[in-house]
Amino acid sequence: MRRSVVGLMVLLFAVLFLYRMANPVAVVAQPGTAEAGDSPAMLAGYSVDSSRAERDWEGKFRAIPSPANLRSYMQRLSARPHHVGTEYDRENAEWILSLFKEWGWDAHIENFYVLLPTPKQREVELVAPAHFTATLEEPTVSVDPTSDQHSEQLPTYNAYSADGDVTAPLVYVNYGIPADYDELDRLGISVKGAIVIARYGMSWRGIKPKVAAEHGAVGCLIYSDPHEDGYFRGDVFPGGAWRPLEGVQRGSVMDMVLYPGDPLTPGEGATKDAKRLPLSEAKTITKIPVLPLSYGDAQPLLSALRGPVAPENWRGSLSFTYHVGPGPAKVHLKVEANWDTKTLYDVIARIPGSTSPDEWVVRGNHEDAWVNGAEDPLSGTVAEMEEARAMGDLLKQGWKPRRTMIYCIWDGEEEGLLGSTEWGEEHAEELRQHAAVYINSDSNDRGYLGAEGSHTLEKFINGVARDIEDPETKLSVWKRHQLELIAHGNTEERKEARSHTDWHIGALGSGSDYTVFIDHLGIASLDLGYGGESGGGIYHSVYDDFYWYTHFGDTDFMYGRALAQTAGTAMMRLADADLLPFDFTALADTLHTYDDELKKLLKDKQDAVRERNLEIDEGVFTATNNPREPLVPPAKEDPPPYLNFAPLDNAVDALTRSAARYQKALEKARANGGAALDHASLQRVNELLIESERKLTSASGLPGRSWFTHQIYAPGFYTGYGVKTLPAAREAIEQKKWKEADEGLAEIGRILDGEAALIQHAADELEAISK
């Protein structure tokens, strides 16, 4: 039926209005896409013409990923346990390799040979005041078809625990982080010669036995309290998503804050011919034996404790009064492993660049799992695979990336970032010379886009997020994330979300395969994934499988598709850009924030020590001590000294000026439709941009852990996964190493001065092109 012209125009305006309400990218010029005064279609790092072509290819790409394919890949990959060393791990790698080749990629498997202990003997017994033997097993669930594959499942254990056979009193240490041991000191309780039991949470698990050993403990048990991921959170599996009574969180306890990867080949790829340390010299193996427990196995141990009642914030959700101990509970713990060498299978695929083949953009997600691993990691793996398939389709249509794209499916991530670390170390010089950006993903669920990484990429990933549609709301994922910040943030966060044109990305510490790229090699990196709406308690258990994921995770795989669209768009946009879309204003702003945080940290410590010393002099602790629940009064200490922040302050200011200069040069280059961005001389500017993240590293690394070279971001020595920014100074302040703190501030200042000079050089080069 024909419509009148007026009617058609009314309908057209109505549709356009609704579209613009749902897609603010269409109407608001924002950094990362169009900027004020530019063509609306102009992307950062592109001319008008190249932007138009790029948007066309990106649109074709985003139409290809299929939720049905994602589901099919996951069902195949998660059908059997596939931890490192299993036949199914190898079969998965070979199957993925065959798909990459079918999709038109140049692909191969690269092998490494790593130390991987697996359980030979595990025992946990309560020997007093009663007797109880922990089952240390996860039972079959009748509705879950893969939960019965017991002969193929890794037993519940902590990889890289030391062997040991100890019997000792039990002490409950809450989360087992340094602050908890300060609380034990106030309670007058020592763990020397004891076995500690800690609950999961508040730090990476490997920190718990590390801190316990530092305080003289002889063994460590780590259990999952229902308060964190069990019935306190919701219905337990199989009736709900949360951890059941006998669910156990496996995991590595390697001391990865010293160095990740194979413990016997630090800094060197674990090839067949690599020089290896003797096992006795491996620094990342724990000092004491460690095992994980379900809350079903932990309950009899914890309920047998007496001694002081645990502080209120130490109490979980088990149905008894939490006591700290020691006594009368005494526990026998035995751990013995097979210390074998296992083979890794990294799948490495590439599409050579058409114009700048020596500039690489790298993508990665791991495939190995503790057991079947549907959520962790396959929900991310399958998205990367579908990206690769879609790009293969584009190749057949005539698309060719400007830069070389390398897609990696890692092995051995779970045990200690093994596959990515060994590959990164083996190819370190090539990567330092050629790699522009690394983009990582891991687990993926329903909800909001999360992005963390190098702040030179903050504006870039905001621009990508504006072009991706959220599957549930049909808003852009950028807009949905902004509204989530407004809904759940504090007053300052809401104000910032409404007033800033970009949302801030968090910094990266460790915990996934980006670690070797950003922390060791100084390659600008991003970690992407969706989540926040489908919680659960099956992390690292036998119940993380296809049945759980298709009932409680991203059940229709629409957010898997969104991840493929997001990471794939980011990869294409980086690979095809005339000028790499790095931005230094966000980096400068972030460093100002970090500088202010350090000053506040020091002042807060000074104020706290002065106040505590005053209260000791006033007799506050003696007067308020309850004789029935006595606490040990704190000792007086000297207030922290004033530190010299001038090197850091001056360097941050210099970097801010250089960032503004580069931004001005970039705006000039973008004038007249970005004609200057087609200039052949951009190669030198791109080389400087690639080098910019390397400039934030130091060859000597961080104090006491030289593998970690990045001076702006690093995993915390006592947090593990959690990031410490400006770590050389921040951790020295936290650990009261004042001389080291001053040295750290000076070193960071020197590093940032070098970064400012490089940015200035890039600005000069860009200005010369634009004349």
Side-chain angles (χ1 to χ4, degrees):
M1 182 182 295
R2 298 182 61 181
R3 296 175 182 266
S4 70
V5 174
V6 174
L8 281 171
M9 291 184 65
V10 170
L11 178 61
L12 198 61
F13 278 112
V15 169
L16 181 60
F17 174 80
L18 291 172
Y19 177 82
R20 287 181 171 180
M21 292 300 291
N23 297 272
V25 66
V27 292
V28 182
Q30 299 285 12
T33 53
E35 296 184 17
D38 286 339
S39 162
M42 195 168 172
L43 295 166
Y46 289 77
S47 67
V48 168
D49 290 342
S50 61
S51 290
R52 189 177 300 113
E54 175 66 14
R55 285 197 177 278
D56 182 54
W57 284 118
E58 287 180 9
K60 292 176 181 178
F61 164 79
R62 288 195 291 270
I64 296 172
S66 160
N69 284 349
L70 297 167
R71 179 186 177 93
S72 176
Y73 302 154
M74 180 183 285
Q75 189 167 22
R76 162 63 173 80
L77 293 168
S78 67
R80 309 209 72 81
H82 51 105
H83 54 275
V84 170
T86 59
E87 184 66 15
Y88 205 65
D89 182 48
R90 181 187 63 79
E91 290 179 13
N92 275 350
E94 291 177 348
W95 182 67
I96 293 170
L97 175 66
S98 70
L99 291 177
F100 270 100
K101 289 182 174 180
E102 178 185 318
W103 297 331
W105 293 68
D106 178 10
H108 68 280
I109 287 177
E110 196 159 344
N111 297 124
F112 296 98
Y113 306 90
V114 296
L115 177 72
L116 180 63
T118 53
K120 182 187 295 183
Q121 200 166 358
R122 303 165 301 132
E123 295 178 19
V124 175
E125 297 177 280
L126 180 68
V127 297
H131 187 270
F132 166 78
T133 300
T135 64
L136 306 180
E137 292 182 359
E138 294 180 294
T140 298
V141 172
S142 60
V143 298
D144 185 349
T146 61
S147 65
D148 69 349
Q149 298 168 338
H150 299 294
S151 64
E152 300 175 63
Q153 295 166 353
L154 263 180
T156 59
Y157 85 118
N158 289 126
Y160 302 103
S161 162
D163 289 347
D165 189 345
V166 292
T167 301
L170 187 68
V171 176
Y172 173 53
V173 295
N174 192 28
Y175 294 111
I177 58 178
D180 294 324
Y181 287 88
D182 293 340
E183 189 76 23
L184 287 174
D185 288 343
R186 292 294 317 278
L187 292 169
I189 294 171
S190 169
V191 302
K192 189 173 183 178
I195 294 172
V196 303
I197 183 167
R199 55 177 168 158
Y200 273 110
M202 296 299 292
S203 75
W204 173 62
R205 75 186 72 78
I207 299 301
K208 302 171 192 294
K210 173 180 178 173
V211 179
E214 289 175 351
H215 287 79
V218 297
C220 179
L221 300 170
I222 312 174
Y223 82 100
S224 300
D225 196 285
H227 187 271
E228 271 63 55
D229 65 358
Y231 54 72
F232 182 82
R233 300 293 177 183
D235 292 330
V236 301
F237 186 74
W242 296 93
R243 194 176 300 274
L245 178 70
E246 294 166 302
V248 183
Q249 183 190 140
R250 294 156 184 78
S252 176
V253 288
M254 178 194 292
D255 197 358
M256 286 190 283
V257 299
L258 295 179
Y259 59 88
D262 177 31
L264 304 185
T265 60
E268 180 179 356
T271 60
K272 281 186 176 180
D273 299 327
K275 184 179 179 180
R276 286 171 166 79
L277 298 172
L279 182 60
S280 61
E281 295 180 17
K283 296 181 179 180
T284 55
I285 295 167
T286 66
K287 309 301 183 197
I288 58 177
V290 194
L291 276 178
L293 299 176
S294 66
Y295 57 88
D297 277 343
Q299 184 163 336
L301 310 184
L302 289 164
S303 63
L305 285 170
R306 290 299 175 263
V309 172
E312 185 175 352
N313 62 351
W314 285 37
R315 302 168 199 170
S317 295
L318 294 170
S319 57
F320 52 78
T321 301
Y322 284 65
H323 290 262
V324 175
K330 183 178 284 190
V331 167
H332 171 229
L333 166 64
K334 184 174 183 178
V335 177
E336 185 180 1
N338 297 300
W339 294 87
D340 297 327
T341 298
K342 302 291 186 182
T343 303
L344 300 180
Y345 299 87
D346 286 344
V347 181
I348 311 297
R350 71 175 61 207
I351 299 173
S354 60
T355 305
S356 302
D358 289 337
E359 295 175 5
W360 301 351
V361 183
V362 188
R363 172 83 169 93
N365 198 106
H366 72 102
E367 172 275 328
D368 68 291
W370 284 107
V371 195
N372 298 78
E375 180 185 49
D376 182 13
L378 296 178
S379 56
T381 315
V382 298
E384 183 181 351
M385 292 169 63
E386 191 66 350
E387 292 167 40
R389 184 186 73 84
M391 289 175 188
D393 278 3
L394 296 189
L395 288 174
K396 295 172 185 176
Q397 298 176 43
W399 169 75
K400 293 180 180 179
R402 178 188 184 95
R403 295 178 179 84
T404 295
M405 303 180 78
I406 302 177
Y407 267 53
C408 308
I409 304 293
W410 307 117
D411 200 3
E413 188 270 359
E414 295 293 3
E415 291 81 7
L417 315 180
L418 302 175
S420 57
T421 299
E422 300 314 313
W423 189 80
E425 290 176 341
E426 178 65 13
H427 300 282
E429 290 311 310
E430 295 173 85
L431 287 164
R432 288 190 181 105
Q433 185 176 353
H434 300 297
V437 175
Y438 174 74
I439 294 182
N440 189 71
S441 59
D442 204 319
S443 301
N444 193 65
D445 282 294
R446 294 171 45 250
Y448 307 95
L449 174 63
E452 296 177 320
S454 302
H455 287 88
T456 50
L457 297 173
E458 181 174 281
K459 286 187 181 296
F460 166 75
I461 197 60
N462 272 264
V464 172
R466 288 183 171 94
D467 287 344
I468 309 299
E469 182 180 86
D470 177 73
E472 291 179 339
T473 64
K474 307 307 178 186
L475 298 169
S476 72
V477 299
W478 183 91
K479 187 64 177 178
R480 192 173 191 223
H481 182 92
Q482 180 207 32
L483 296 176
E484 190 267 341
L485 292 173
I486 293 170
H488 299 119
N490 58 35
T491 301
E492 187 61 32
E493 289 167 338
R494 289 196 298 271
K495 179 180 177 182
E496 184 176 288
R498 289 183 171 116
S499 61
H500 285 216
T501 53
D502 293 314
W503 33 260
H504 291 306
I505 63 173
L508 287 172
S510 185
S512 194
D513 290 305
Y514 52 77
T515 302
V516 70
F517 295 95
I518 186 167
D519 291 328
H520 184 59
L521 299 174
I523 296 167
S525 299
L526 287 169
D527 187 49
L528 304 176
Y530 288 82
E533 289 188 331
S534 53
I538 43 74
Y539 182 61
H540 290 186
S541 81
V542 300
Y543 310 120
D544 179 3
D545 57 18
F546 189 72
Y547 178 88
W548 183 93
Y549 197 80
T550 54
H551 285 76
F552 303 107
D554 178 24
T555 56
D556 58 8
F557 291 84
M558 291 302 292
Y559 279 96
R561 182 175 187 262
L563 176 58
Q565 292 172 324
T566 305
T569 297
M571 287 291 293
M572 290 180 66
R573 198 168 290 183
L574 287 163
D576 292 340
D578 303 301
L579 179 70
L580 284 166
F582 286 30
D583 174 86
F584 299 101
T585 55
L587 175 65
D589 290 345
T590 300
L591 286 166
H592 272 292
T593 299
Y594 293 164
D595 189 0
D596 292 343
E597 288 174 353
L598 283 188
K599 292 170 182 172
K600 184 177 186 302
L601 174 65
L602 179 63
K603 184 177 186 304
D604 288 349
K605 285 187 172 293
Q606 292 169 332
D607 292 345
V609 170
R610 293 187 182 108
E611 175 61 25
R612 186 166 61 248
N613 288 345
L614 179 60
E615 291 178 8
I616 292 170
D617 290 339
E618 292 171 335
V620 169
F621 295 99
T622 302
T624 59
N625 206 358
N626 182 348
R628 295 185 181 180
E629 298 176 4
L631 297 174
V632 177
K636 291 185 71 173
E637 59 180 289
D638 293 333
Y642 291 98
L643 299 177
N644 182 15
F645 281 89
L648 177 59
D649 291 343
N650 291 334
V652 171
D653 285 347
L655 193 145
T656 300
R657 291 192 298 272
S658 292
R661 172 79 182 281
Y662 181 82
Q663 186 62 28
K664 183 177 180 181
L666 182 62
E667 290 170 359
K668 186 176 180 181
R670 290 168 64 88
N672 301 317
L677 296 178
D678 288 328
H679 200 285
S681 297
L682 282 176
Q683 179 180 348
R684 179 54 185 151
V685 184
N686 281 323
E687 289 172 354
L688 291 168
L689 295 176
I690 289 172
E691 190 184 348
S692 65
E693 197 81 18
R694 318 282 196 270
K695 279 290 185 180
L696 299 176
T697 68
S698 168
S700 59
L702 295 177
R705 43 189 186 137
S706 59
W707 190 91
F708 288 91
T709 65
H710 210 292
Q711 299 298 302
I712 310 303
Y713 320 116
F717 194 76
Y718 288 112
T719 59
Y721 288 172
V723 66
K724 292 290 181 177
T725 54
L726 309 184
R730 185 182 298 272
E731 294 200 307
I733 294 171
E734 291 172 343
Q735 297 169 25
K736 305 176 184 178
K737 299 177 179 178
W738 309 121
K739 182 174 182 294
E740 194 173 290
D742 256 335
E743 292 171 349
L745 289 168
E747 175 65 3
I748 296 165
R750 184 188 69 80
I751 291 291
L752 294 182
D753 281 337
E755 177 78 344
L758 180 141
I759 298 168
Q760 183 76 25
H761 188 181
D764 292 343
E765 292 281 346
L766 198 54
E767 284 184 347
I769 293 168
S770 302
K771 287 181 179 177

